[in-house]
Amino acid sequence: MKSYQNQNYDEALKLFKASLEEETNYSPELIYNFIATIYLQQDDLENALVYQEKSTELRPEYRGLVSLGMTMHLLQRDAEAEGAYRKAIDLNPQKGEAYASLGALYLGQGRAKDAIVNLKKASDLEPKIAMIHANLAVAYAADGQAELSEAEFKIAEELKCENLEEFRSRAENFSENR
């Protein structure tokens, strides 16, 4: 842990992997999660995915499944990402992050109506997360619902959404292509 905290990732990886063969107070799934996090810090998505999968196989939990889905999406494995998000939702349908991630995935696939359903659910569960409202605004724009889009942009702006102009630009592109 000390090597990890000091960002000495090579040493931390070596020690975490060795600890999998030793008696330790940490569970294997937690060690796998630490290893995956190190690989993510190093932008090594392939290796991060291997250890995220090992961790969630041993102990499927909400946060791990959402992270797994995000890594799969970054690796352009969207069908698997969708599955991970759905498993997270099954584990805890009262949290909004998996719905938001699934909605953003659908938005990127041009599935505006599916995106709206999931992003709306996410915004109902997590009304204070600006990015959810910004994505919902883009989804409404993609679906031709300009008034709802602008209402969501207003909420996103009130919540101080970072990169709001990027979301507005995406929405304008959808509006222009309609």
Side-chain angles (χ1 to χ4, degrees):
M1 286 301 297
K2 202 170 259 192
S3 294
Y4 174 77
Q5 291 166 347
N6 291 330
Q7 297 181 358
N8 184 351
Y9 295 137
D10 291 335
E11 182 69 13
L13 279 173
K14 183 178 88 176
L15 293 169
F16 279 132
K17 287 178 180 179
S19 72
L20 289 168
E21 307 299 323
E22 304 285 329
E23 187 79 23
T24 177
N25 291 332
Y26 296 110
S27 66
E29 64 270 14
L30 184 59
I31 295 170
Y32 290 143
N33 196 36
F34 285 136
I35 293 170
T37 301
I38 292 169
Y39 282 125
L40 286 171
Q41 290 289 326
Q42 297 175 324
D43 291 324
D44 184 345
L45 299 178
E46 292 288 347
N47 277 317
L49 182 63
V50 168
Y51 286 94
Q52 285 175 317
E53 288 176 324
K54 288 181 181 196
S55 178
T56 58
E57 283 173 14
L58 289 176
R59 184 170 178 250
E61 59 90 27
Y62 183 85
R63 163 86 26 222
L65 287 164
V66 171
S67 295
L68 176 65
M70 289 177 175
T71 303
M72 289 173 166
H73 174 65
L74 290 170
L75 290 169
Q76 301 178 345
R77 294 167 59 174
D78 285 350
E80 293 169 278
E82 181 178 354
Y85 296 143
R86 291 208 174 281
K87 285 180 187 174
I89 290 167
D90 289 344
L91 282 175
N92 193 341
Q94 298 307 309
K95 285 191 171 189
E97 189 175 8
Y99 289 108
S101 297
L102 191 55
L105 178 86
Y106 290 150
L107 185 58
Q109 294 174 340
R111 296 169 56 186
K113 290 193 185 310
D114 292 329
I116 290 168
V117 168
N118 285 280
L119 290 165
K120 182 70 180 121
K121 180 73 174 178
S123 73
D124 290 344
L125 293 169
E126 307 285 350
K128 302 285 187 205
I129 299 178
M131 188 174 289
I132 293 172
H133 292 283
N135 271 320
L136 185 53
V138 174
Y140 280 136
D143 197 46
Q145 299 183 58
E147 288 180 24
L148 289 174
S149 175
E150 195 49 47
E152 289 298 324
F153 272 127
K154 184 174 175 144
I155 295 168
E157 186 173 7
E158 289 169 3
L159 293 171
K160 311 244 185 287
C161 180
E162 292 183 29
N163 306 323
L164 188 60
E165 289 310 311
E166 289 177 28
F167 288 99
R168 284 195 180 275
S169 177
R170 288 175 56 206
E172 287 172 16
N173 286 340
F174 281 119
S175 297
E176 291 169 3
N177 293 327
R178 288 195 64 71

